[in-house]
Amino acid sequence: MWVNPEEVLLANALWVTERANPYFILQRRKGHGGDGGGGGLAGLLVGTLDVVLDSSARVAPYRILYQAPDSLVYWTIACGCSRKEITEHWEWLEQNLLQTLSIFENENDINTFVRGKIQGIIAEYNKINGIKEDDDTEKFKEAIVKFHKLFGMPEEEKLVNYYSCSYWKGKVPRQGWVYLSINHLCFYSFLMGREAKLVIRWVDITQLEKNATLLFPDMIKVSTRSSEHFFSVFLNISETFKLMEQLANIAMRQLLDNEGFEQDRSLPKLKKKSPKKVSALKRDLDARAKSERYRALFRLPKDEKLDGHTDCTLWTPFNKMHILGQMFVSTNYICFTSKEENLCSLIIPLREVTIVEKADSSSVLPSPLSISTKNRMTFLFANLKDRDFLVQRISDFLQQTTSKIYLDKNISGSYIRTRNTLKFLQRVCMYRTEKTRDLVLKGIPESMRGDLWLLFSGAINEMATHPGYYEDLVEKSMGKYNLATEEIERDLHRSLPEHPAFQNEMGIAALRRVLTAYAFRNPNIGYCQAMNIVTSVLLLYAKEEEAFWLLVALCERMLPDYYNTRVVGALVDQGVFEELARDYIPQLYDCMQDLGVISTISLSWFLTLFLSVMPFESAVVVVDCFFCEGIKVIFQLALAVLDANVDKLLNCKDDGEAMTVLGRYLDSITNKDSTLPPIPHLHSLLSDDVEPYPEVDIFRLIRSSYEKFGSIRADLIEQMRFKQRLKVIQTLEDTTKRNVVRTIVTETSFTIDELEELYALFKAEHLTSCYWGGNSNATERHDPSLPYLEQYRIDFEQFKGMFALLFPWACGTHSDILAARLFRLLDENGDLLINFREFVSGLSAACHGDLTEKLKLLYKMHGQFIELCKTMYNMFSEDPNEQDLYHATAAVTSLLLEIGEVGKLFSVQPPNDTDSSNNCSKAIQSELFQKKEHQQYPLEQDWAITFEQFLASLLTEPALVRYFDKPVSMMARITNAKNIRMREKALSQLRPPKSPT
């Protein structure tokens, strides 16, 4: 390929010149090509240096240099992977440039012309292929080519970045490069003639840790179900590990809800002053990570993208200080947080901004910026770098929000209650300080609770920017019935049955509308038990629309993945809680593990925010703190409850006794400041004849949780969540596999081990198609709501690859035709997809069925006698007894032709014509993929012979009986398939395996 001219100091170091003229030199890297093969010791040394030093020659062993006459400076202008590619470039130069260059008299003119011509060719190529100039550097493009070549990856597999490191293979470190792509972690090393390759899918990783050892202060450990891998000697281990974490998270998201990765093409261009250029994909992932942290920090909607941030100071009038911190700017918000944690933060929605203006600089206030809002508040920032650029960006975003006016009459009308609308709007842009948090911990007045929940959760922002959204959802979802609505109806009267608001149809109807609307909005979650309890409490303090948006904030931001069908988020936080209990209450941890109590208590505590286990008037105080501080409050409070009962729990003999202790303690928590009428609440384990537990003040308990466990930080929780997420999701995947195998093992003749391996291959085929596309949409092939056996489905192209790898009848050019026939037979519902149960039923019949069962399957796969004959003639092409089998097939065919009317209707001859085979394949595939209502193939009507006649005829030939009756080693085939998958990742590169003996 042509490359931007790059200066070369030593033109002949480790290179051999093959062609030359007055202006250009074509060179080959030593140890590559040539008559000497590998190049001996020099070739091995060069190959090693290329890998260790990341030389482009490892992938492009040919290059063309340009040198002006009488100059000592050479320029690389082209490189190639093959002699053919580089020769084409060389010939183009000779035909198009040599004669022109001889006209120039000045060396500088020649240099300018050559460099301009090459850059023009590259620019034209980029324009034709839609490549942005700043997308990737030349060096990174070379790395992409190297990555695809080394690991057999298709072009669809996107490389994100690569890093120099050592991989420990046994006790020996191998220096090389780790390549991180969207779906794979790969490593390559070449040392003195010995290659080391490693390919791991992110979806297979069960643990990812950054460890320190005596030999190496920093080492990354990557674990899968079957092996552990260690990498060390990184130039920047933190950057590498963060990227690994991010890519593993993307893979877990794919396993969890089939959410694939799509690159963001809308990234801003890099500034010319940028110290380095990274790949566009790496920039995308970096931007995503920053946006995620930004949204989590300020509780912003999930589609908000951070545009940039800068250091600055904020004038805080309440204490008359200039607070040092950072300003963040995104499409719809300007936010600020202090350098000192919890000192001050600020969220200014751009829909509230009226004026952004630069003030006069002074020694006290350099580069100040004033931002005014609709409610006449003014915020003064100073010490801003690139103030002019910042003002321009904010102005651009303001223009985009002109159509989104917050004081819409539909929105303002929703605040008619007893609240003062103007004062509430002022709170949206209020300074959030440590004093704010302290006031919340002391208790929110009943009249302000709903307002502040909306404010602290960020729900107010989504509601303000989506006028009429909830009403539309209610209208669309009412009257629709599915599994979610059935579960909602079942739980409506179990939500807060003791509260008067839900003892009449009005309260129940409101709860039904909110839950149904959310299930309609987010079908991936739908409805989960515990949502009804939380939502009923939200409705007590907020109007219906407000409660809906509070539920959105809970399910999609504050408690991520808590309420999906497998409560993954709650299980992840259960693991985090266990880790925190081990660190903070070590004297109790071992005892609690033995009793198995932590897993039992944490799910109910976390899923319902203590609402289901604590008196109502006390639990709402916990909800206050949760909306203000986030999940760390729940962890702190849970630890405080355990800590308060250490002695009693240590004396418990079983989990029932421990649960009784905790249940009685939680029942005793009171809120003496509450103005609510007493609501009866007794824990299910508390009986009437037990002496009441001494009362515990909720505010004192919360203060104690901050004093003892307030050091738990939100970023620490996120780090622990990542570790637990890998563990939880992979455990759930293993559980799903066991459930599938347990369900199907009695239906087939496969062993449990064989079924588990087959399930892994089947699922891998599905995931591969998600990575690199297929004939059907990935979401169509994976539906988590279906039974385990039907969740993953594959289309014909995927099945064709599996057929070639596993079925004993796959051989020769006829394999694809046979695969199409079997696919059509197994696809009972005609959706052009088959699930695992259907796949295994076909494979079991072909491999482990008795002779009659195998032949019955072969008979059913063919709609016509002539097609069956073609299949049999093509089936034995790679068998050692090929000639005997052909003779036997001819004898059976002749015998069948003599039976009754078959001889009158059909004439058969061996199908030696490959065109006939190809036409047959096209006809079958055309018929298979027609998008029309599926009808069962009319097998019996088109057959002129019965299966019994076919079976009896075949039994007369011992060679055919031995062929179909021979045992098949399925585990050997599975092993062979896995080896092929390791060598060839792209489906198009697969070849039919040889039949294992």
Side-chain angles (χ1 to χ4, degrees):
M1 64 180 178
W2 300 106
V3 297
N4 282 314
E6 184 177 346
E7 187 174 342
V8 176
L9 297 179
L10 299 174
N12 296 312
L14 305 179
W15 290 84
V16 177
T17 298
E18 293 196 339
R19 295 189 187 183
N21 60 42
Y23 298 98
F24 303 107
I25 302 172
L26 189 156
Q27 293 186 322
R28 169 178 54 84
R29 189 73 163 175
K30 288 183 178 178
H32 294 276
D35 298 330
L41 181 61
L44 295 178
L45 179 61
V46 172
T48 301
L49 288 174
D50 288 342
V51 171
V52 174
L53 301 178
D54 188 29
S55 169
S56 61
R58 186 64 192 163
V59 66
Y62 298 93
R63 70 180 184 184
I64 296 175
L65 303 181
Y66 157 72
Q67 182 191 35
D70 303 323
S71 173
L72 298 177
V73 179
Y74 294 83
W75 301 83
T76 304
I77 59 172
C79 62
C81 299
S82 65
R83 187 182 297 276
K84 179 183 177 183
E85 179 185 6
I86 206 69
T87 301
E88 289 176 354
H89 285 47
W90 177 264
E91 290 174 351
W92 187 92
L93 290 171
E94 287 190 325
Q95 294 170 10
N96 295 278
L97 288 191
L98 275 185
Q99 188 173 356
T100 305
L101 294 180
S102 63
I103 300 173
F104 291 96
E105 299 178 358
N106 186 299
E107 179 184 331
N108 291 332
D109 292 342
I110 298 176
N111 289 342
T112 302
F113 178 79
V114 172
R115 296 179 65 179
K117 192 68 176 176
I118 299 301
Q119 289 170 346
I121 294 172
I122 295 172
E124 182 65 21
Y125 175 83
N126 290 345
K127 181 180 179 180
I128 293 172
N129 292 276
I131 302 173
K132 296 181 181 178
E133 290 185 9
D134 65 338
D135 270 359
D136 295 320
T137 62
E138 292 296 334
K139 187 172 182 180
F140 192 81
K141 289 176 183 176
E142 293 170 2
I144 292 173
V145 176
K146 183 189 297 187
F147 165 71
H148 289 148
K149 179 183 177 183
L150 288 174
F151 304 105
M153 296 287 179
E155 290 186 7
E156 294 88 347
E157 181 65 0
K158 304 298 184 183
L159 179 66
V160 181
N161 212 349
Y162 63 108
Y163 301 93
S164 173
C165 69
S166 286
Y167 168 58
W168 289 80
K169 196 170 183 179
K171 296 183 179 180
V172 180
R174 303 295 298 269
Q175 183 64 31
W177 294 83
V178 63
Y179 294 82
L180 308 181
S181 67
I182 290 297
N183 302 300
H184 297 85
L185 180 157
C186 304
F187 175 84
Y188 180 79
S189 173
F190 180 87
L191 293 175
M192 301 308 293
R194 297 185 61 186
E195 280 190 324
K197 282 187 183 181
L198 175 69
V199 179
I200 304 172
R201 294 187 312 174
W202 292 114
V203 291
D204 293 331
I205 291 178
T206 57
Q207 194 174 20
L208 189 62
E209 292 182 297
K210 187 168 64 173
N211 297 324
T213 65
L214 292 176
L215 287 176
F216 297 98
D218 289 313
M219 177 178 281
I220 294 177
K221 175 184 174 184
V222 179
S223 302
T224 65
R225 290 175 177 83
S226 58
S227 57
E228 294 181 342
H229 308 275
F230 297 90
F231 301 87
S232 62
V233 196
F234 289 91
L235 296 176
N236 189 339
I237 191 169
S238 296
E239 178 188 335
T240 309
F241 187 70
K242 283 181 181 178
L243 182 55
M244 285 182 172
E245 280 188 321
Q246 192 174 10
L247 292 169
N249 258 327
I250 291 172
M252 293 305 104
R253 177 57 55 188
Q254 188 177 59
L255 288 177
L256 184 60
D257 56 16
N258 208 44
E259 183 178 299
F261 176 84
E262 289 189 11
Q263 185 174 349
D264 185 356
R265 301 284 182 180
S266 62
L267 292 172
K269 289 188 176 182
L270 286 172
K271 297 178 182 178
K272 293 182 178 179
K273 297 179 182 178
S274 297
K276 63 177 181 178
K277 296 182 79 174
V278 297
S279 72
L281 198 50
K282 177 66 165 60
R283 288 174 55 214
D284 177 10
L285 290 173
D286 288 345
R288 289 178 190 227
K290 290 177 182 178
S291 291
E292 285 174 8
R293 289 193 292 270
Y294 168 62
R295 291 192 296 265
L297 183 61
F298 298 106
R299 309 270 175 82
L300 300 178
K302 61 180 180 180
D303 55 353
E304 192 69 15
K305 293 180 182 179
L306 177 65
D307 187 69
H309 60 88
T310 183
D311 291 338
C312 67
T313 58
L314 171 66
W315 169 253
T316 49
F318 54 86
N319 59 2
K320 294 182 171 51
M321 291 180 61
H322 293 282
I323 296 179
L324 181 63
Q326 282 189 319
M327 174 193 284
F328 299 82
V329 177
S330 60
T331 312
N332 300 294
Y333 299 90
I334 299 171
C335 301
F336 173 87
T337 186
S338 58
K339 291 282 188 182
E340 185 180 338
E341 191 176 7
N342 297 326
L343 185 59
C344 181
S345 65
L346 178 66
I347 300 172
I348 308 174
L350 286 180
R351 64 179 184 272
E352 291 297 313
V353 173
T354 54
I355 301 174
V356 177
E357 57 183 352
K358 296 179 285 187
D360 294 334
S361 295
S362 66
S363 57
V364 179
L365 278 180
S367 301
L369 178 66
S370 173
I371 298 177
S372 301
T373 63
K374 293 174 182 177
N375 51 30
R376 300 177 185 176
M377 295 182 71
T378 300
F379 302 95
L380 185 61
F381 299 90
N383 290 283
L384 287 159
K385 296 179 181 178
D386 294 328
R387 183 178 60 164
D388 293 342
F389 174 78
L390 180 64
V391 171
Q392 183 59 50
R393 290 301 289 168
I394 295 175
S395 299
D396 292 342
F397 291 140
L398 275 172
Q399 289 181 1
Q400 298 173 20
T401 61
T402 52
S403 61
K404 301 174 183 177
I405 302 174
Y406 178 68
L407 290 175
D408 182 275
K409 63 178 181 180
N410 294 328
I411 297 299
S412 60
S414 67
Y415 290 101
I416 296 172
R417 232 167 19 177
T418 57
R419 72 182 66 151
N420 183 312
T421 303
L422 182 58
K423 288 185 177 179
F424 181 63
L425 292 178
Q426 287 175 339
R427 294 195 200 112
V428 173
C429 301
M430 75 176 185
Y431 297 96
R432 307 183 191 201
T433 66
E434 199 165 2
K435 187 176 181 181
T436 308
R437 187 199 70 181
D438 292 340
L439 288 172
V440 172
L441 299 187
K442 292 176 182 178
I444 296 176
E446 290 285 319
S447 61
M448 298 175 62
R449 183 163 275 139
D451 292 347
L452 291 179
W453 286 359
L454 285 166
L455 181 64
F456 291 140
S457 67
I460 184 64
N461 292 315
E462 286 196 287
M463 186 170 71
T465 53
H466 293 80
Y469 178 84
Y470 173 69
E471 288 82 357
D472 289 343
L473 269 185
V474 170
E475 185 177 346
K476 292 175 181 176
S477 62
M478 282 297 111
K480 301 287 177 63
Y481 295 99
N482 51 38
L483 181 61
T485 57
E486 289 177 12
E487 294 175 341
I488 289 170
E489 288 299 324
R490 187 173 61 244
D491 287 350
L492 282 176
H493 295 275
R494 306 175 187 173
S495 302
L496 280 183
E498 67 276 3
H499 197 284
F502 298 99
Q503 293 173 1
N504 60 71
E505 186 53 35
M506 184 180 295
I508 294 295
L511 181 59
R512 178 187 292 112
R513 285 192 293 270
V514 173
L515 291 174
T516 305
Y518 185 77
F520 195 80
R521 164 190 167 88
N522 192 342
N524 285 337
I525 292 178
Y527 171 77
C528 169
Q529 285 186 334
M531 286 173 70
N532 60 318
I533 296 174
V534 173
T535 306
S536 60
V537 174
L538 299 178
L539 279 167
L540 294 177
Y541 296 99
K543 297 180 73 174
E544 258 189 58
E545 183 182 11
E546 297 168 348
F548 171 80
W549 287 113
L550 283 168
L551 185 61
V552 170
L554 279 172
C555 295
E556 298 176 13
R557 296 198 304 276
M558 300 189 73
L559 296 175
D561 301 322
Y562 260 58
Y563 300 110
N564 56 32
T565 53
R566 298 189 285 183
V567 293
V568 170
L571 292 172
V572 168
D573 280 353
Q574 174 188 305
V576 173
F577 182 50
E578 289 186 8
E579 281 196 64
L580 292 172
R582 182 190 61 204
D583 295 340
Y584 285 92
I585 321 174
Q587 71 275 25
L588 184 61
Y589 177 74
D590 291 337
C591 169
M592 296 293 282
Q593 286 294 96
D594 294 339
L595 295 175
V597 172
I598 290 181
S599 59
T600 305
I601 62 175
S602 57
L603 273 179
S604 59
W605 294 5
F606 283 62
L607 274 171
T608 66
L609 303 175
F610 284 92
L611 287 165
S612 65
V613 294
M614 194 182 288
F616 176 78
E617 64 275 8
S618 302
V620 290
V621 178
V622 177
V623 179
D624 294 341
C625 300
F626 167 76
F627 277 123
C628 180
E629 288 274 90
I631 192 64
K632 71 187 291 284
V633 171
I634 306 300
F635 284 115
Q636 289 174 188
L637 194 61
L639 290 171
V641 171
L642 294 184
D643 185 63
N645 293 276
V646 167
D647 295 336
K648 290 185 177 66
L649 290 171
L650 287 174
N651 293 323
C652 291
K653 298 180 178 60
D654 54 44
D655 59 339
E657 190 176 348
M659 292 301 297
T660 301
V661 168
L662 293 170
R664 294 185 68 225
Y665 178 85
L666 290 167
D667 273 325
S668 70
I669 298 175
T670 61
N671 177 6
K672 294 180 179 178
D673 295 341
S674 175
T675 58
L676 293 173
I679 300 173
H681 179 281
L682 289 177
H683 194 277
S684 58
L685 294 175
L686 181 61
S687 57
D688 295 335
D689 57 351
V690 178
E691 183 180 346
Y693 199 95
E695 290 186 352
V696 178
D697 182 70
I698 181 62
F699 297 105
R700 186 176 300 169
L701 177 62
I702 289 174
R703 280 197 302 273
S704 173
S705 74
Y706 272 87
E707 291 168 0
K708 295 183 177 180
F709 310 109
S711 59
I712 298 173
R713 302 190 319 276
D715 58 341
L716 173 66
I717 291 174
E718 285 306 313
Q719 291 176 15
M720 298 170 74
R721 274 177 166 175
F722 166 75
K723 177 181 175 182
Q724 293 297 328
R725 191 175 295 115
L726 285 176
K727 180 180 177 182
V728 166
I729 292 180
Q730 296 292 22
T731 300
L732 288 172
E733 290 294 305
D734 290 341
T735 302
T736 299
K737 179 174 70 175
R738 286 194 297 270
N739 289 336
V740 167
V741 170
R742 192 183 304 118
T743 304
I744 208 173
V745 69
T746 57
E747 302 176 9
T748 73
S749 54
F750 292 124
T751 66
I752 289 178
D753 290 342
E754 287 173 339
L755 282 173
E756 287 187 347
E757 293 290 345
L758 285 172
Y759 179 81
L761 278 175
F762 189 88
K763 179 180 165 186
E765 193 71 33
H766 161 80
L767 290 171
T768 300
S769 67
C770 292
Y771 301 161
W772 305 323
N775 288 339
S776 54
N777 189 281
T779 55
E780 295 174 358
R781 294 191 296 268
H782 180 221
D783 185 353
S785 66
L786 292 174
Y788 292 127
L789 281 165
E790 302 173 20
Q791 285 187 7
Y792 290 109
R793 292 168 290 178
I794 59 176
D795 59 23
F796 172 66
E797 286 301 319
Q798 298 166 283
F799 176 79
K800 189 166 65 174
M802 297 285 282
F803 183 87
L805 290 170
L806 297 172
F807 280 76
W809 301 336
C811 59
T813 58
H814 200 66
S815 286
D816 288 355
I817 301 173
L818 201 58
R821 293 186 177 282
L822 182 56
F823 183 89
R824 182 177 57 196
L825 182 66
L826 297 177
D827 181 21
E828 295 181 0
N829 63 355
D831 63 354
L832 302 183
L833 298 168
I834 63 171
N835 60 43
F836 185 64
R837 170 178 262 148
E838 293 166 337
F839 175 79
V840 167
S841 68
L843 185 61
S844 178
C847 294
H848 288 334
D850 57 26
L851 179 63
T852 302
E853 190 176 358
K854 291 178 180 178
L855 294 176
K856 183 74 171 178
L857 177 65
L858 190 64
Y859 175 86
K860 284 184 175 181
M861 288 164 58
H862 295 81
Q864 296 177 352
F865 172 67
I866 190 171
E867 299 301 343
L868 175 62
C869 294
K870 286 182 180 180
T871 293
M872 293 184 64
Y873 274 110
N874 282 276
M875 190 177 286
F876 317 124
S877 60
E878 297 179 12
D879 194 278
N881 302 313
E882 182 177 351
Q883 291 302 317
D884 292 342
L885 289 166
Y886 278 146
H887 289 306
T889 301
V892 170
T893 302
S894 298
L895 183 59
L896 289 172
L897 285 172
E898 295 171 1
I899 300 177
E901 61 182 5
V902 178
K904 301 175 184 177
L905 299 175
F906 299 97
S907 61
V908 180
Q909 51 186 337
N912 296 324
D913 185 2
T914 56
D915 291 337
S916 172
S917 177
N918 290 335
N919 291 334
C920 180
S921 174
K922 291 177 182 177
I924 289 175
Q925 295 194 34
S926 174
E927 179 184 350
L928 180 64
F929 293 115
Q930 283 181 347
K931 300 293 184 180
K932 61 181 180 179
E933 184 178 356
H934 181 84
Q935 296 178 349
Q936 180 64 37
Y937 198 94
L939 297 171
E940 298 300 330
Q941 296 177 11
D942 288 346
W943 276 91
I945 61 169
T946 65
F947 168 68
E948 288 73 18
Q949 292 171 327
F950 168 65
L951 175 62
S953 301
L954 192 140
L955 289 176
T956 63
E957 293 295 329
L960 288 174
V961 172
R962 285 193 299 270
Y963 176 83
F964 284 106
D965 212 19
K966 67 183 176 182
V968 176
S969 174
M970 180 48 59
M971 196 56 79
R973 286 187 167 273
I974 291 171
T975 302
N976 185 42
K978 289 165 69 176
N979 291 336
I980 289 177
R981 284 290 188 238
M982 290 176 66
R983 292 194 302 267
E984 300 179 354
K985 290 295 179 183
L987 294 177
S988 60
Q989 292 176 319
L990 293 175
R991 296 291 182 270
K994 292 183 179 180
S995 299
T997 56

